[in-house]
Amino acid sequence: MTSRPLMLLRITTSATEEIGLTPHGKLSIFPVTGGSFEGERLRGKVLAGGGDWVAARADGTFDLDLRVTLETDDGALIHMTFTGVRDDANDYLRTLPRFETAAPKYAFLNRLLAVGIGEIHPEGPVHAIEEIL
Amino acid sequence: MNTRLLMMLRVIVAAPQNIGAVPHGTRRTVPLSGGDFEGPRLRGTVLPDGSADWLLLRADGVLEMDLRVTLRTDDGALISMKSFGLRHGPPEVIAAIGRGETVDPATYYFRTTPRFETAHPAYAFVNRLVAVASGDRRAEGPIYTIHEVL
């Protein structure tokens, strides 16, 4: 598969909300307080208010379910979600981001699929997101 | 992005169910009558009952696909696959696909993002990966080349 870089997304979170053991596993919510994204075709900041709903699975991995709002440096809002898997035993954090926007300039985001390669840094997760060509 | 081949999946489509205009676009459900898959680590058949692609043609001309398939490996394991995808391209290419013609898959965008679930220990690795696929719509049904994201 061929791909090309879309953006580097950095997310900052506040204190984790531990929901605890639910029928689907232990659920933790990571509220998003901000962040930034930068790529050749778009850049801007992550708005506060989203989060990542992380469910611990019985096999030791985590299901990720993120939704955030991105604001480009020229004022467009982009709704972004991803699902993904975090498997610490195999150092594997991969996501499938999707985007929705009403801004014509960024309409290309509505028409693409993407993959994120994630890393957990002390200041928060960083996702290198590539467009699937 | 590093990937490696997981499988080639061929599905056979049955008569579509045209739901029609819904609030989010035009909805069509395409049941699958069968198919098969083959890769270095797994191979088998597509179970027809319950496997289908739920399609939504959006106002911007993009076709959203929500494929749900049950795979049965040649050694009897069941694997549930769900795959969200997008398809779009030049109007003449999309029209040719609609007429059942074989079209060069490089002339349109047909990509999906499969996820898998299984209870079978031999295939537990599929629970822990995300995948990307490119599709090639043939008259009898799409052929997906599915790559594991490494």
Side-chain angles (χ1 to χ4, degrees), chain A residues 57 92 110-111 132-133, chain B residues 58 88 109 111 127 149-150:
Chain A
R57 307 196 314 189
Y92 187 83
N110 295 324
R111 306 165 73 88
I132 300 168
L133 296 175
Chain B
R58 306 191 317 210
H88 54 83
Y109 191 86
R111 302 289 182 267
N127 291 323
V149 177
L150 297 175

Side-chain angles (χ1 to χ4, degrees), chain B residues 21-94:
Chain B
V22 301
H24 289 101
T26 305
R27 184 166 283 289
R28 187 166 82 244
T29 304
V30 184
L32 304 183
S33 59
D36 56 66
F37 62 98
E38 173 141 28
R41 287 169 288 169
L42 68 177
R43 61 201 58 78
T45 56
V46 173
L47 297 190
D49 297 324
S51 295
D53 201 354
W54 282 263
L55 307 178
L56 182 72
L57 181 61
R58 306 191 317 210
D60 64 354
V62 174
L63 184 70
E64 289 191 356
M65 298 170 286
D66 180 17
L67 180 74
R68 289 153 192 256
V69 172
T70 304
L71 307 175
R72 183 167 59 201
T73 64
D74 56 358
D75 54 354
L78 294 183
I79 300 173
S80 172
M81 168 179 160
K82 294 179 192 170
S83 179
F84 179 81
L86 297 178
R87 197 178 87 191
H88 54 83
E92 63 276 14
V93 172
I94 299 302

